[in-house]
Amino acid sequence: MKDIKEKFKQKSEELGKEIKEILANHGEKEISSVKIRQLYQGMRGMPGLVSETSLLDPINGIRFRGFSIPELKEKLPTAEEGDEPLPEGLFYLMLIGELPSDKEVEEISNAMGRRSQIPKHVFNTIDELPIETHPMTQFVTGIMAMQTESIFAKAYKKGINKKDYWEYTFEDVTNLISRLPRLAAYIYRRKYRKGEHIEPNPELDWAGNFAHMLGFDNKEFRELMRLYLTIHADHEGGNASAHTTHLVGSTLSDPYLSFAGGMNSLAGPLHGLANQEVIRWIEQMRKEIGDGLPTKEQIENYVKQTLDAGKVVPGYGHAVLRQTDPRFTAQMNFAKEHLPDDDLVNVVWRIYDVVPDILKDLGKVKNPWPNVDAHSGALLVHYGLEEYEFYTVLFGVARSLGVLASLCWDRALGLPLERPKSLTTKRIKEIINGEEEV
Ligand code: AMX
């Protein structure tokens, strides 16, 4: 990783200079105004932070350093055995801002293999948790237990110069990303496969090795993991897991603590937990109306039942997107190629035919289209990964790539403690009445 680290240093110094100039020449330029409703509605659409790794367009979806998902599929290096992009390549792209060569991706894969060792106390800590503990709780516990390994925290304690923060962060970030598949696989095998663990295979790439350690050692599943970990990696900086990682990191908490924070936020049903909720919801529907392909009317009735019970339809809607999520489409294309006749996949596609119109008719849902989580579970079930409570952990492993690449940038650019202003409703009423603050 030495050359990549050197390249990152050079890129971040260049951007640091540009930002200084922007601030000196345009620091006072207004780019947005804030409406009262935005304070009560989750700051939707309010620019509030900078994140270099990706940018989300409401219609066209996510672009990683300018590249769409189909472009990533075309341009990023792949494993020899397949044609899905290697997520290590996306990590490089997000970190450096340029497409990697095959050699650079190989360098990352090898470094990740070498750095993937996890100290025994981490496994022991997880083993102390009751087996029924939710996999996301086990995942966060494991990340927190690994914090003993933080190079940044140790260096900070000794005393380091501000300008060197990024270097220690970079090391922590690379180590943490390398270790996460091992940690996640450990949790999976502990909870669902009688604790029969599988040693890593150093010959495999990051995602391929993850599939292997989970116990799904076939080419198609390895390919699915490469695609899955790529498309879930980042969704610009304002989404809850990215923003939480950034916020916690802004206090100079080390990457382990910051990422654990991000993962707690991914564990919410409105965010990453939606992928488990989708399969749970479909399973419930099939219990009620029977297996096989449900009719459109049956789905319509089930959706209405969900809405009447005051619940959301999981996998549909988005805070920013206003079209079908290209991450949904990428998974649909994978399914069309590899498993077009799968029962559950066909249920997911039929739900896609029915739900948007119903949500549109409600008149309040801003985005009636499916998001990434509407499709992911059906693919996993097909290959035998049926334990849906584990799905958010897969999302979390993927999300590490984007939010931790971003954390490297935060430290390299010396971004400060995040501390937005909050108001009380009393103060808002005073502002409405044109009263000065007392
Ligand atoms: N089903 C039913 N109602 C929905 C809905 C859905 N899928 N999506 C939005 N709505 C409702 C909201 O609950 C809200 O109702 P309210 O005014 O009675 O409170 C209204 O429509 C307006 O909401 P919105 O502005 O369209 O959405 P939002 O930005 O507030 O929330 C999200 C976005 C994702 C939380 C929401 O669409 C949702 O709950 N979806 C289902 C859960 C889900 O799939 N989450 C995963 C998102 C992707 C991810 O992070 N992994």
Side-chain angles (χ1 to χ4, degrees):
M1 293 295 284
K2 220 168 129 233
D3 292 349
I4 295 172
K5 193 169 167 184
E6 194 47 45
K7 211 164 184 181
F8 176 72
K9 180 171 188 270
Q10 184 203 325
K11 294 278 174 193
S12 59
E13 282 171 356
E14 282 166 19
L15 187 68
K17 273 195 203 124
E18 273 184 59
I19 293 173
K20 264 197 188 132
E21 273 173 37
I22 292 175
L23 289 175
N25 298 326
H26 308 284
E28 300 308 312
K29 185 177 167 67
E30 277 186 26
I31 57 167
S32 175
S33 61
V34 176
K35 301 197 171 74
I36 288 174
R37 69 171 164 75
Q38 290 174 295
L39 273 71
Y40 289 98
Q41 292 174 349
M43 299 192 276
R44 292 291 182 284
M46 188 194 291
L49 65 157
V50 173
S51 173
E52 305 294 343
T53 48
S54 64
L55 191 64
L56 185 57
D57 176 83
I59 304 299
N60 298 312
I62 191 67
R63 280 183 180 268
F64 305 86
R65 297 284 193 173
F67 294 100
S68 67
I69 287 174
E71 283 166 346
L72 290 188
K73 284 197 65 166
E74 204 184 293
K75 292 181 196 293
L76 282 181
T78 62
E80 248 173 56
E81 65 180 359
D83 55 12
E84 297 299 342
L86 287 170
E88 295 92 312
L90 176 58
F91 177 62
Y92 180 101
L93 174 66
M94 290 189 289
L95 195 65
I96 306 292
E98 291 168 3
L99 288 168
S101 64
D102 288 358
K103 198 172 149 281
E104 281 156 338
V105 170
E106 202 184 321
E107 194 182 329
I108 301 181
S109 289
N110 292 340
M112 286 185 172
R114 283 194 305 275
R115 290 167 180 241
S116 65
Q117 291 303 319
I118 293 183
K120 196 161 179 305
H121 76 266
V122 175
F123 298 131
N124 292 344
T125 306
I126 292 171
D127 287 342
E128 284 302 310
L129 294 170
I131 197 80
E132 61 274 14
T133 308
H134 192 281
M136 276 307 276
T137 309
Q138 299 196 37
F139 190 51
V140 173
T141 303
I143 297 163
M144 291 298 290
M146 261 197 295
Q147 190 269 344
T148 51
E149 307 309 291
S150 172
I151 294 169
F152 179 89
K154 286 188 189 117
Y156 193 86
K157 197 171 162 195
K158 269 197 203 149
I160 37 171
N161 192 311
K162 269 181 175 186
K163 68 177 177 30
D164 299 327
Y165 287 168
W166 74 269
E167 270 206 80
Y168 301 97
T169 302
F170 187 99
E171 292 301 324
D172 271 354
V173 159
T174 320
N175 288 341
L176 177 52
I177 293 174
S178 309
R179 289 168 175 154
L180 288 172
R182 184 100 206 268
L183 174 67
Y186 185 88
I187 293 163
Y188 181 76
R189 303 289 307 181
R190 169 180 189 247
K191 191 167 164 72
Y192 304 112
R193 293 292 185 272
K194 301 189 187 122
E196 290 161 2
H197 297 292
I198 300 172
E199 286 299 305
N201 174 356
E203 301 296 306
L204 286 167
D205 52 286
W206 187 68
N209 203 10
F210 188 24
H212 159 74
M213 289 186 285
L214 286 168
F216 299 92
D217 239 339
N218 63 78
K219 182 191 146 189
E220 243 175 68
F221 190 81
R222 283 194 292 275
E223 280 287 88
L224 173 64
M225 272 302 101
R226 290 170 189 132
L227 175 69
Y228 187 106
L229 298 177
T230 297
I231 62 175
H232 286 80
D234 207 30
H235 223 218
E236 76 172 31
N239 73 75
S241 50
H243 190 188
T244 310
T245 307
H246 166 78
L247 170 65
V248 178
S250 85
T251 70
L252 294 188
S253 278
D254 62 63
Y256 292 83
L257 300 176
S258 308
F259 183 63
M263 289 303 96
N264 279 317
S265 129
L266 191 73
L270 295 187
H271 191 15
L273 205 79
N275 58 10
Q276 81 161 46
E277 293 303 295
V278 167
I279 293 300
R280 207 154 67 103
W281 183 77
I282 295 177
E283 202 171 75
Q284 195 58 41
M285 171 171 79
R286 294 178 114 188
K287 261 194 205 138
E288 282 184 26
I289 60 184
D291 282 345
L293 194 59
T295 64
K296 288 190 175 178
E297 291 69 37
Q298 283 174 317
I299 296 175
E300 261 168 34
N301 288 336
Y302 186 67
V303 170
K304 284 183 181 146
Q305 213 175 295
T306 302
L307 295 171
D308 288 347
K311 297 177 191 163
V312 293
V313 179
Y316 282 77
H318 199 272
V320 180
L321 286 171
R322 295 295 177 258
Q323 250 310 338
T324 296
D325 190 338
R327 301 172 298 175
F328 176 92
T329 311
Q331 297 180 91
M332 189 157 90
N333 291 342
F334 184 96
K336 281 182 183 162
E337 186 182 337
H338 297 285
L339 46 144
D341 301 323
D342 180 273
D343 276 359
L344 189 57
V345 161
N346 279 279
V347 175
V348 165
W349 292 347
R350 186 155 284 181
I351 292 171
Y352 181 31
D353 287 339
V354 172
V355 168
D357 281 342
I358 301 179
L359 293 183
K360 272 183 218 163
D361 283 349
L362 291 181
K364 64 172 182 179
V365 181
K366 296 197 189 63
N367 178 38
W369 303 104
N371 59 55
V372 65
D373 299 313
H375 210 307
S376 54
L379 298 176
L380 297 166
V381 170
H382 175 84
Y383 293 103
L385 208 166
E386 293 175 356
E387 299 85 357
Y388 53 71
E389 282 202 342
F390 186 74
Y391 293 171
T392 312
V393 176
L394 296 176
F395 195 157
V397 172
R399 195 39 67 97
S400 70
L401 299 174
V403 302
L404 291 174
S406 246
L407 202 63
C408 289
W409 277 99
D410 292 351
R411 292 291 75 80
L413 298 174
L415 298 186
L417 177 77
E418 189 178 298
R419 198 341 183 154
K421 174 78 186 139
S422 71
L423 298 174
T424 59
T425 300
K426 180 171 175 285
R427 178 65 203 131
I428 288 174
K429 286 199 282 194
E430 288 164 3
I431 294 171
I432 293 168
N433 295 332
E435 293 169 35
E436 294 292 321
E437 195 172 6
V438 276

